Amino acid sequence: MLTTIYQITQIINSILDLKELLNKVMDLAIGLVGAERGLIFLYRSESDEMEMVVARNMEHQTIKDATEYSRSILKEVGHGQAILSHDAATDERFKEFRSVSIYHIRSLLCVPLRLKSRIIGTVYVDTREPGVVFSEDDLRFLEAFANQAAIAIEIARLYEQVRQENQYLRQAVQERYGYENIIGRSPKMREMFTLLSRVASSSLPVMIRGESGTGKELVARGIHHNSQRRDRKFFTENCAALPDTLLESELFGHAKGAFTGADTSRRGLFELADGGTLFLDEVGDMSMPMQSKLLRVLQDGEFRPVGSETPRHVDVRVISATSRDLEAMIKQKAFREDLYFRLKVITVKLPTMRERREDVPLLIDHFLAKIAHENKTPKLRVDRDLMALLTRYDWPGNVRELENQVYRLALFAGGDTLTLHDAQSDTEFFGKVTLPGTRGADTRLTRDDLQRALNQANGNRDEAARILGISRATFFRKLKQFELGQKRPRLVRPPHTA
Ligand SMILES: Nc1ncnc2c1ncn2[C@@H]1O[C@H](COP(=O)(O)OP(=O)(O)O)[C@@H](O)[C@H]1O
Ligand SMILES: [Mg+2]
């Protein structure tokens, strides 16, 4: 008997799925004592109820009566006495139970599922066959089995609980923290986060649509970092920035001697990103011949480096982005329709700043925190009037423009709170927000603006241009105009941060 119990224990301990386990326990219990039918009840401590979780060949009345037996077992706290009836029909204890007489139940057993001092449920089996009678041995056998089953059931329950919690936590992490640097709580952004949480784990191609500055690259990175490819490389290529020949060798690499100046062979981004993600920005600006080459990689995962005969095989997830109207381009035969469908298996549409004005304060707060962190200074605040102005403005350059503007405003801060007055001294900006549509306002930039930006950027001109939200060329033109280009500006940062 011990060996059998041991073997059975091994079987049930290997099942972690609760439903599957309960079914197995039921079948084993019936088989062990040669019963005909069976039930398993589990006790729900929170509702104080016995809940039937498995039934084999049972009618309603018997289930009801067996629930009563189970309750009586449970009531004997600490004892949990099992019930055995050799001949139920003549047994005084079952007089009251109609199932016994209606269904001619000959012999029945009901044993507790005992876990140390706790009873977590019961196992009930019976038989209506005239020749079969359960013995004391059957009872002890079933009790021993039930003790083992109780442990297995408890483990499976715990496992299920942990798994559910894990799933919940993983989802929370993915939705909340995985994209923590993508700011936005507006309905349009929430919709996008929900979509992202569903698509990140797959390897399907994603196309990100949205105006310039809406965060397409940021989202592409977020998708990569939430995918199973997160430990592999993420590369980005701006398809609008390079002429065809260069773009081709950037993407696919080239063999040694493929063209003048190719003294060595070079691996392309598709090869470098193998197993990872390649972000193709401004994909709508690709020439038709390049589109055909891209289509080939997406179809077969195969490409040939420039000047090489040997095809390469790669596994790359392609995320593309564009601010162009691809559908119109397809009609004009400027974009391949087949490539379009390959790329846009999943489409993520990013809202403009106008469509999510309510996120403006949130974004401003985010960038002010970033500035404070970068400069190791206290975080600036924005007063109500200025916030109203900033929220009303249309931000044609979307988050990018907003980010640049917050950096600029920080330069004009008089105290710890940015006010309308501070914004007024940023004449370029003030002109823009109060006269919508005015462009080319960099003529309003003063010598002081430039000086402040240079100080903030520690003398780095590229950085200073970025802070002011103007191009490098404009910045240099201004430097010359104000004769600021010659001497290196004084550092204004506290010495310990330098
Ligand atoms: N939702 C956002 N939350 C925080 N920063 C954002 C958000 N969207 C964009 N940005 C920031 O704005 C700038 C422009 O974003 P980017 O992804 O380059 O836009 P796009 O590729 O659509 O032109 C980046 O500095 C980016 O970090
Ligand atoms: Mg971009």
Side-chain angles (χ1 to χ4, degrees):
M1 176 174 134
L2 267 177
T3 11
T4 324
I5 288 290
Y6 177 71
Q7 283 163 352
I8 288 168
T9 306
Q10 284 210 312
I11 295 173
I12 59 179
N13 278 350
S14 67
I15 306 173
L16 281 173
D17 180 77
L18 185 60
K19 214 165 158 187
E20 188 190 339
L21 173 68
L22 291 169
N23 275 307
K24 191 78 193 172
V25 167
M26 184 81 273
D27 291 339
L28 285 168
I30 290 172
L32 280 174
V33 295
E36 190 198 347
R37 324 180 304 162
L39 293 167
I40 296 179
F41 294 90
L42 288 182
Y43 178 61
R44 284 194 172 279
S45 49
E46 69 272 18
S47 65
D48 231 23
E49 281 292 317
M50 293 302 275
E51 183 191 28
M52 189 201 70
V53 288
V54 189
R56 289 278 185 276
N57 315 319
M58 280 297 172
E59 53 302 287
H60 184 68
Q61 185 63 44
T62 311
I63 292 173
K64 230 174 111 189
D65 290 348
T67 310
E68 284 305 310
Y69 314 151
S70 299
R71 269 207 201 103
S72 71
I73 288 179
L74 193 75
K75 259 186 235 144
E76 298 176 55
V77 187
H79 301 285
Q81 205 58 56
I83 299 170
L84 162 66
S85 181
H86 308 287
D87 186 2
T90 59
D91 198 321
E92 274 298 301
R93 290 175 296 170
F94 301 111
K95 248 186 10 230
E96 307 279 301
F97 294 105
R98 296 203 313 135
S99 59
V100 173
S101 53
I102 300 174
Y103 301 110
H104 308 291
I105 294 170
R106 292 296 167 128
S107 202
L108 65 84
L109 276 167
C110 192
V111 300
L113 285 162
R114 196 195 308 273
L115 202 73
K116 284 192 187 144
S117 57
R118 213 150 47 86
I119 292 170
I120 64 164
T122 57
V123 177
Y124 167 94
V125 291
D126 69 17
T127 181
R128 296 167 301 184
E129 282 177 44
V132 181
V133 171
F134 297 142
S135 66
E136 295 289 339
D137 274 351
D138 289 332
L139 176 67
R140 255 172 280 134
F141 200 19
L142 193 63
E143 273 190 303
F145 167 70
N147 286 340
Q148 295 304 315
I151 297 169
I153 289 169
E154 192 66 1
I155 289 171
R157 274 173 155 185
L158 284 174
Y159 182 76
E160 191 146 295
Q161 205 179 324
V162 167
R163 209 178 42 185
Q164 271 171 10
E165 265 166 30
N166 251 338
Q167 201 173 1
Y168 170 79
L169 285 176
R170 208 175 308 133
Q171 204 168 339
V173 165
Q174 268 182 7
E175 283 177 7
R176 299 265 333 275
Y177 307 107
Y179 299 104
E180 82 237 316
N181 55 345
I182 306 177
I183 307 300
R185 282 192 216 137
S186 53
K188 286 228 151 85
M189 288 300 279
R190 278 178 205 265
E191 235 172 71
M192 194 209 54
F193 284 122
T194 309
L195 179 63
L196 288 190
S197 68
R198 297 213 189 107
V199 306
S201 59
S202 81
S203 262
L204 294 171
V206 179
M207 180 180 279
I208 307 172
R209 311 285 297 258
E211 283 185 8
S212 175
T214 46
K216 296 187 291 295
E217 179 158 357
L218 193 66
V219 167
R221 283 180 194 279
I223 292 173
H224 171 75
H225 286 292
N226 280 281
S227 74
Q228 273 132 11
R229 296 168 178 256
R230 66 173 69 91
D231 298 326
R232 312 298 285 270
K233 290 261 167 61
F234 174 90
F235 285 98
T236 103
E237 179 65 76
N238 186 330
C239 305
L242 297 172
D244 265 22
T245 47
L246 278 182
L247 182 60
E248 184 176 0
S249 93
E250 275 278 312
L251 291 180
F252 307 123
H254 60 74
K256 186 176 170 179
F259 45 81
T260 332
D263 335 315
T264 54
S265 68
R266 184 173 167 217
R267 296 201 296 161
L269 291 181
F270 268 103
E271 218 170 318
L272 294 169
D274 196 9
T277 307
L278 179 56
F279 175 54
L280 297 175
D281 204 357
E282 311 290 3
V283 78
D285 291 68
M286 247 186 196
S287 72
M288 285 305 249
M290 278 307 293
Q291 288 179 31
S292 310
K293 290 187 171 125
L294 177 58
L295 181 65
R296 225 166 299 145
V297 202
L298 291 173
Q299 273 171 344
D300 321 322
E302 218 177 74
F303 65 91
R304 267 185 310 121
V306 181
S308 163
E309 294 304 317
T310 345
R312 305 278 160 88
H313 227 89
V314 286
D315 163 32
V316 173
R317 181 185 205 178
V318 172
I319 301 180
S320 58
T322 185
S323 51
R324 307 268 302 246
D325 183 352
L326 288 185
E327 292 75 11
M329 289 178 71
I330 290 168
K331 280 200 197 110
Q332 294 154 13
K333 303 261 178 279
F335 200 85
R336 291 187 65 129
E337 190 169 23
D338 42 9
L339 177 60
Y340 170 78
F341 284 112
R342 281 277 167 182
L343 288 172
K344 64 149 224 157
V345 176
I346 296 157
T347 300
V348 177
K349 173 105 182 60
L350 291 187
T352 63
M353 217 55 260
R354 268 114 46 219
E355 293 170 282
R356 57 178 190 117
R357 279 180 206 281
E358 63 267 50
D359 284 337
V360 168
L362 219 59
L363 281 158
I364 289 176
D365 187 72
H366 171 72
F367 294 128
L368 287 175
K370 211 168 126 193
I371 291 168
H373 180 78
E374 285 168 8
N375 297 344
K376 299 196 173 73
T377 50
K379 193 173 130 194
L380 289 166
R381 290 149 41 88
V382 175
D383 82 351
R384 262 207 359 232
D385 292 342
L386 179 57
M387 193 59 94
L389 185 75
L390 297 175
T391 310
R392 222 180 306 133
Y393 181 55
D394 268 354
W395 303 109
N398 296 298
V399 187
R400 180 179 292 114
E401 186 187 3
L402 178 65
E403 179 176 12
N404 288 337
Q405 193 51 55
V406 174
Y407 271 83
R408 252 175 81 93
L409 281 173
L411 295 177
F412 293 94
D416 58 357
T417 302
L418 282 164
T419 64
L420 216 47
H421 183 74
D422 296 323
Q424 250 153 6
S425 33
D426 183 355
T427 45
E428 180 195 354
F429 169 67
F430 208 72
K432 260 196 317 198
V433 285
T434 45
L435 288 172
T438 312
R439 291 309 200 94
D442 64 76
T443 47
R444 289 197 191 81
L445 272 180
T446 64
R447 187 177 199 279
D448 277 354
D449 294 343
L450 261 71
Q451 185 65 67
R452 267 192 232 111
L454 275 169
N455 285 344
Q456 165 127 350
N458 246 346
N460 181 326
R461 295 163 181 187
D462 286 349
E463 173 75 2
R466 199 182 69 79
I467 290 170
L468 293 169
I470 58 178
S471 73
R472 208 165 157 265
T474 311
F475 187 76
F476 275 81
R477 190 164 44 75
K478 290 271 149 195
L479 279 185
K480 246 178 135 172
Q481 184 189 330
F482 297 130
E483 293 170 331
L484 269 170
Q486 316 312 321
K487 52 185 191 297
R488 198 180 146 75
R490 184 175 52 90
L491 293 183
V492 290
R493 291 183 186 209
H496 66 273
T497 67

